[in-house]
Amino acid sequence: AARLALGRPTAEPAAVQEYRRCLDAHLATLDGEARTVRENAAQVEGELGRAVERALADLRALAGGKLAAIESEQAEALRQQAALERVHAFAQRHRGSCGAALELVHLTEARRF
């Protein structure tokens, strides 16, 4: 109604005041809605930040567990490698004496016949 009154050539000051009052009320409503949107955005941003931190903590824990498992497997592999090296060294040390003993057995068997 205020806007229609403004469109007339003889717009009265009361109509102009009413239109301004309506515009001010609408601006106040928009300001309130904008404030609510900003508050909601800040709340969502905080929730997202906390969710990201929780996800990162979960990933760190998972990675830590995987790393511990890998380190354990690596330590076991190193223990097995050390055991194999000891067996290999033992075999190398006794290879010559086993060869000599085998040769002696062959000579002894050959002399029997």
Side-chain angles (χ1 to χ4, degrees), residues 40-78:
N40 288 343
Q43 181 181 0
V44 167
E45 185 178 341
E47 290 172 2
L48 283 174
R50 289 186 293 278
V52 166
E53 287 301 318
R54 283 192 304 273
L56 285 174
D58 291 345
L59 285 174
R60 282 187 208 105
L62 181 61
K66 291 277 187 188
L67 183 59
I70 289 170
E71 288 173 346
S72 176
E73 288 177 16
Q74 184 181 19
E76 178 61 27
L78 289 173

Side-chain angles (χ1 to χ4, degrees), residues 6-8 12 14-16 22 25 27 30 41 50 67 80-81 84 88 93 95-98 103 105 110:
L6 284 176
R8 295 186 190 130
E12 296 182 18
V16 171
C22 288
L27 286 174
L30 290 176
R50 289 186 293 278
L67 183 59
Q80 289 178 3
Q81 182 181 3
L84 286 173
H88 181 71
R93 281 192 310 270
R95 183 177 187 182
S97 60
C98 289
E103 185 68 28
V105 167

